[in-house]
Amino acid sequence: MKADVVAILGVPVDNLTLDEAVERIFSMVDGYAADRCARQVATANVDFVVNTLSWSLDRVRHPELLDVLRRADMVTADGMPLVVLSKLMRTPLKERVAGSDMVPRLAEEAARRGKSLFLLGGREDVAVLAAEKLKAQYPGLRIAGIFSPFVQVEGQALTDAREMDLEIVERINDVAPDILLIAFGNPKQEIWFDRNRYRLHVPVSIGVGGTFEFIAGTLRRAPLWVQRAGLEWAFRIIQDPRRLWKRYAIGFLKFGLLIWPAVVYDRFGHFCYRRRHPNSAERGPEAATPLAVSASEIRILHLPDRLTHASLEHTAEEFDHAFAQANFIVVDFSEVSFIDSTGLGFLIRAWRRAAAAGKPFYFTGVAPNIRRSLELNRCWDLFRGLVFETLEAAWQSALEGSRSPPFFYSVNPAEDHLLIRFFGRLDAVEMARVDLPALLGAMGGKDCILDLQSLRFVDSSGLALFLKIQRALAGQGRQCVLCGLNSNVEQLLRITQLYKLFEIAENVVSARERLRGCS
């Protein structure tokens, strides 16, 4: 597993140069023939980070976008403030890798390697002009297609979004491009790809924002010296002050206030470690200790006292070894006294890999100062449910989790209503497996309570299921009440403008009282 990833306030950013990023993308294209896995590249800037996070350490502003970024196959730093922050955290990114710089390089390499691009999104005239300019600049470049549809990621239209997406997906799949460039803007492009990942037959998809405008020349880029000085944002404000000044002012203010606690705590932790160990070299991780159990094999990965870039190469090798041999992985933090942004980046990527493979992944021995570092760096929301005091507790949770599918629901009939409980993770992949006609048929024309207490995560595709249930019941003159919402589910309902469309209760008891009050 690649260890060179820097966590920027909970978002993993790959530490790559532009040349390295382009080469990795074409490696993904070549690897598609073997695994047929559609991969995602995100070009993250300050907007991404600000849009995902709230002011509170305990809440996330956009749970779905943050989840998509954490699961992306590659994330580049499309913004000098992210590069500057990485330097403040003493884990410097090599350089800014912007979508507007990446796309021309991809076009050049695609022409040389005989690969094709598909331009999706942007204004139609702009996308066409951008394609023409790329073909003129890079002779032999194949543009597989151009399409500028309107897509939905919020509001009542989510009910039909999956069906509306089908035409777009089929149009792309019919011409089989090697790279899909998606220019819907953040967060539309990331969310749209994620809900259609399992249907797209494209090796690599990349969210490129307003890059088509730059290529077409309808929007001017800042001079090179302005870009290198990290002032391209100022140049953009000058071009469109009425629309952009407030967005950038609020974004930079929020970003600045979010980063300083993490920066100060990182410096404080580094200072304390050096005072305790003035002459010590960084220790490598101890060899992982296997533990034989009757049900299956578990592997314990012991982390070093400093989880930093210097120790990660060996730690990554140990993780690869554990991942290949074990069904359950427990990461032992008992020796860890300091962790930096590359250590956090490694943990997020390790979590992603374990989650994708369906392998339980747990933490033990997390000290209070490490937990505080996870909180200030906006990673605690991801790892909170994975932390256990003892190995035995982690093992018991792993056993219980192995008996349950990623998502399921139960239908419990009562005298005058149905109680439907949802469990696990409801995303676009699981949504595609739900037999909606069977579920609606099981309701039998009764009022329904949808209990979400055990639903760990839901994305906008999952919210569409609740909308469809509500719409079907309303057509029969019946009521639908949601209850047991955790903070992330509630926030996603709000940010997708769906919260006010539902009757929402705190728990099942109050939901039943709501139904009685409506009857």
Side-chain angles (χ1 to χ4, degrees):
M1 186 179 72
K2 296 289 184 182
D4 207 2
V5 178
V6 176
I8 305 291
L9 293 178
V11 176
V13 179
D14 291 84
N15 194 2
L16 302 167
T17 65
L18 178 58
D19 290 341
E20 290 168 343
V22 170
E23 186 58 38
R24 185 179 294 184
I25 288 170
F26 280 101
S27 295
M28 294 178 185
V29 171
D30 294 338
Y32 180 75
D35 58 20
R36 312 300 293 179
C37 178
R39 291 178 168 83
Q40 179 185 26
V41 175
T43 54
N45 55 25
V46 170
D47 266 353
F48 278 75
V49 177
V50 169
N51 285 343
T52 61
L53 303 178
S54 71
W55 296 102
S56 170
L57 291 175
D58 299 326
R59 299 180 69 87
V60 175
R61 182 180 179 274
H62 203 312
E64 183 174 18
L65 177 59
L66 184 56
D67 182 76
V68 170
L69 292 175
R70 285 170 170 171
R71 292 175 182 271
D73 298 277
M74 189 171 85
V75 180
T76 68
D78 184 353
M80 282 305 296
L82 301 188
V83 177
V84 172
L85 174 58
S86 72
K87 293 177 179 178
L88 290 174
M89 299 290 286
R90 298 174 300 103
T91 53
L93 292 166
K94 294 175 182 177
E95 65 182 31
R96 176 192 180 196
V97 182
S100 47
D101 295 320
M102 184 190 298
V103 171
R105 289 294 308 280
L106 289 172
E108 181 181 12
E109 279 298 302
R112 190 176 68 84
R113 302 183 187 212
K115 304 298 183 182
S116 63
L117 308 180
F118 192 111
L119 278 60
L120 179 68
R123 297 201 313 271
E124 186 171 5
D125 56 335
V126 171
V128 170
L129 184 56
E132 291 174 350
K133 289 203 170 187
L134 288 173
K135 286 194 292 184
Q137 189 170 358
Y138 306 109
L141 174 64
R142 290 190 294 122
I143 300 295
I146 303 168
F147 192 29
S148 301
F150 182 77
V151 301
Q152 292 284 356
V153 296
E154 62 185 24
Q156 295 190 59
L158 275 175
T159 309
D160 304 312
R162 184 172 178 272
E163 290 72 21
M164 293 169 62
D165 288 346
L166 185 58
E167 177 192 352
I168 306 172
V169 171
E170 288 179 345
R171 190 163 177 168
I172 296 167
N173 289 342
D174 284 346
V175 294
D178 295 296
I179 298 174
L180 175 65
L181 304 175
I182 311 175
F184 294 144
N186 162 45
K188 264 190 178 183
Q189 59 201 20
E190 285 71 33
I191 292 172
W192 184 88
F193 169 82
D194 195 60
R195 78 181 181 207
N196 291 290
R197 177 197 290 262
Y198 68 99
R199 300 195 293 188
L200 281 168
H201 303 156
V202 182
V204 180
S205 297
I206 309 172
V208 297
T211 296
F212 297 169
E213 300 268 1
F214 292 125
I215 295 172
T218 56
L219 191 64
R220 290 176 57 206
R221 283 204 73 183
L224 193 58
W225 70 268
V226 175
Q227 296 178 41
R228 289 174 175 170
L231 297 173
E232 190 167 8
W233 57 272
F235 187 84
R236 292 197 65 188
I237 290 176
I238 292 171
Q239 291 187 83
D240 191 357
R242 181 174 298 180
R243 185 175 68 90
L244 294 179
W245 79 266
K246 186 175 181 180
R247 166 184 155 189
Y248 277 102
I250 294 174
F252 281 129
L253 175 63
K254 184 176 180 180
F255 184 71
L257 293 175
L258 290 174
I259 66 174
W260 284 111
V263 171
V264 171
Y265 198 77
D266 173 82
R267 295 298 178 94
F268 175 73
H270 183 71
F271 172 76
C272 290
Y273 181 87
R274 286 303 183 193
R275 287 200 64 184
R276 290 195 302 269
H277 309 281
N279 301 312
S280 66
E282 293 203 26
R283 295 163 48 194
E286 299 173 13
T289 305
L291 175 66
V293 293
S294 59
S296 61
E297 187 181 64
I298 187 170
R299 192 81 174 179
I300 306 172
L301 181 65
H302 298 285
L303 297 181
D305 60 342
R306 285 172 55 87
L307 190 60
T308 64
H309 186 271
S311 65
L312 278 181
E313 183 176 355
H314 184 67
T315 303
E317 291 176 359
E318 289 291 334
F319 177 82
D320 287 341
H321 185 65
F323 189 85
Q325 294 193 353
N327 293 323
F328 304 97
I329 299 172
V330 175
V331 182
D332 178 15
F333 280 77
S334 58
E335 296 294 324
V336 180
S337 57
F338 179 74
I339 183 170
D340 70 3
S341 294
T342 54
L344 294 172
F346 165 77
L347 293 175
I348 294 174
R349 287 301 195 213
W351 162 84
R352 178 192 178 278
R353 186 174 173 187
K359 293 190 176 185
F361 180 70
Y362 299 112
F363 296 169
T364 61
V366 179
N369 66 308
I370 300 301
R371 169 175 172 166
R372 190 59 179 164
S373 182
L374 292 170
E375 289 173 341
L376 293 174
N377 283 280
R378 305 300 179 120
C379 297
W380 184 243
D381 67 289
L382 177 61
F383 300 132
R384 177 169 45 208
L386 307 178
V387 177
F388 292 87
E389 291 293 328
T390 64
L391 174 61
E392 289 74 15
W395 171 243
Q396 184 60 38
S397 179
L399 283 179
E400 292 172 357
S402 67
R403 300 188 187 108
S404 302
F407 167 76
F408 65 100
Y409 64 87
S410 64
V411 180
N412 308 286
E415 183 177 346
D416 57 351
H417 67 274
L418 285 180
L419 175 62
I420 305 178
R421 298 183 186 274
F422 294 89
F423 301 83
R425 177 188 172 88
L426 177 54
D427 56 20
V429 174
E430 297 300 328
M431 178 63 184
R433 296 170 181 163
V434 173
D435 188 343
L436 184 60
L439 176 57
L440 295 177
M443 294 178 184
K446 290 186 175 182
D447 296 333
C448 280
I449 297 173
L450 308 184
D451 182 7
L452 312 184
Q453 183 176 357
S454 299
L455 195 65
R456 298 193 310 273
F457 175 83
V458 63
D459 66 7
S460 53
S461 298
L463 295 183
L465 175 61
F466 307 149
L467 276 172
K468 290 178 179 180
I469 291 173
Q470 184 202 52
R471 180 179 292 182
L473 291 173
Q476 302 170 12
R478 293 299 181 178
Q479 299 294 317
C480 177
V481 181
L482 271 59
C483 69
L485 282 64
N486 64 37
S487 60
N488 282 345
V489 174
E490 180 180 334
Q491 177 60 18
L492 190 60
L493 282 168
R494 292 186 186 279
I495 208 162
T496 54
Q497 301 178 23
L498 297 177
Y499 188 83
K500 293 182 179 179
L501 299 181
F502 290 98
E503 283 285 333
I504 297 177
E506 183 177 350
N507 51 45
V508 173
V509 173
S510 56
R512 284 174 174 151
E513 292 175 354
R514 289 278 187 100
L515 289 180
R516 294 190 190 102
C518 294
S519 60

